[in-house]
Amino acid sequence: MKIGILTIGNELMNGRIADTNASFIAREANQQGWSVEAIMSVGDDFAAIKNRLDYLLAMTDAVICSGGLGPTADDITTEAIAQAFGLPLYTDENVLNFIKEIFTKFNFRWMENNAKQAMFPEGAEVIPNARGTAPGFCLPVKEKFIFVIPGVPAEAKLMITNGVIPLLRKHFPQDELYIIKQTIRTFGLSEAAVDNRVKDIDFNSLGVSIGFYPVFPENHIVLIAQNQNREDAQKNLQKALDDVSSR
């Protein structure tokens, strides 16, 4: 499966906060055996959000978006996505009541703009948020999917793990793979020297990917085997390990 990642917010574009969501989503996607085709960021702008979504959907099966689900005027992600695909917005009364209960529980003053967080594009499936007031959603678009979650990292991480990944597995069951990793730590060799020693190994034929990561004073080699059969994944990884170790 091919995944695109789009993080949304003016605060990302002006450098006020670091984009930790994109790296987390990419790691989680790779651990599932999915390919991250592109990672992009965009400000809170209707035309720009549509442009980036069109670009990412053209090359992927699903796009995961984070940010712009709050109650303020610059939180436009839901409206921008609905507008981009000509969909009306609707208010989910169950979500609205849930948000109001949170405000009552913590004695927060209710403002009408908070109701914005209970609005979704027609056809969207709500993704619950156990750590905040803004749920996310999954929207099917032309046999592809757009997933939208809040930008708050603690909320985003939980919703990726408990919401987005299970839904992706549900919609793309044929893409489920067994993923096995192994790290080999080397010492006394440069990154280039390590690469030169293993350059003749045909990792692709084994269904194994290789990555080089300098961790001074060591160089780490990370091997990742992917296969629909667990035993084959383990066998291929062991073959790659033996080939690397022999050099």
Side-chain angles (χ1 to χ4, degrees), residues 23-241:
S23 58
F24 177 81
I25 296 168
R27 285 195 303 272
E28 292 300 304
N30 276 277
Q31 287 179 5
Q32 303 301 318
W34 304 329
S35 172
V36 175
E37 297 295 299
I39 298 175
M40 305 183 76
S41 295
V42 67
D44 299 304
D45 179 87
F46 284 90
I49 291 172
K50 179 184 184 330
N51 177 276
R52 304 308 188 275
L53 281 172
D54 288 343
Y55 178 83
L56 290 170
L57 285 170
M59 66 173 72
T60 63
D61 302 301
V63 177
I64 302 173
C65 307
S66 75
L69 296 186
T72 60
D74 62 344
D75 290 312
I76 64 168
T77 297
T78 298
E79 187 179 356
I81 290 174
Q83 187 181 104
F85 299 100
L87 298 171
L89 290 169
Y90 76 96
T91 297
D92 188 306
E93 293 298 331
N94 291 328
V95 172
L96 181 60
N97 290 333
F98 175 75
I99 296 172
K100 287 183 175 180
E101 288 173 3
I102 293 176
F103 274 71
T104 300
K105 178 180 178 180
F106 292 100
N107 199 28
F108 294 152
R109 181 184 177 188
W110 176 258
M111 305 292 290
E112 283 306 314
N113 56 353
N114 288 296
K116 178 180 179 179
Q117 295 178 304
M119 298 181 71
F120 304 94
E122 185 178 78
E125 178 179 355
V126 175
I127 301 176
N129 182 351
R131 289 185 175 171
T133 58
F137 61 88
C138 167
L139 182 68
V141 177
K142 299 177 182 178
E143 300 183 353
K144 299 188 178 186
F145 293 88
I146 298 173
F147 292 84
V148 184
I149 58 176
V152 180
E155 298 175 23
K157 288 179 179 179
L158 189 65
M159 293 171 74
I160 285 291
T161 303
N162 295 344
V164 175
I165 289 176
L167 282 172
L168 280 168
R169 287 194 171 280
K170 171 186 171 183
H171 292 302
F172 297 93
Q174 72 278 8
D175 290 324
E176 185 166 355
L177 295 172
Y178 291 100
I179 314 296
I180 306 176
K181 299 182 180 182
Q182 182 69 50
T183 299
I184 301 173
R185 300 167 62 181
T186 67
F187 185 85
L189 292 172
S190 68
E191 187 178 10
V194 172
D195 177 61
N196 188 61
R197 292 197 181 192
V198 300
K199 65 181 181 181
D200 63 326
I201 301 175
D202 188 1
F203 292 103
N204 288 333
S205 67
L206 296 172
V208 175
S209 63
I210 183 170
F212 302 92
Y213 303 94
V215 184
F216 185 82
E218 301 175 337
N219 277 296
H220 293 183
I221 304 171
V222 178
L223 302 176
I224 304 175
Q226 304 180 22
N227 200 288
Q228 292 181 325
N229 181 282
R230 182 185 294 275
E231 291 184 359
D232 286 343
Q234 291 174 329
K235 181 177 66 177
N236 292 341
L237 180 63
Q238 188 59 55
K239 176 65 167 58
L241 281 169

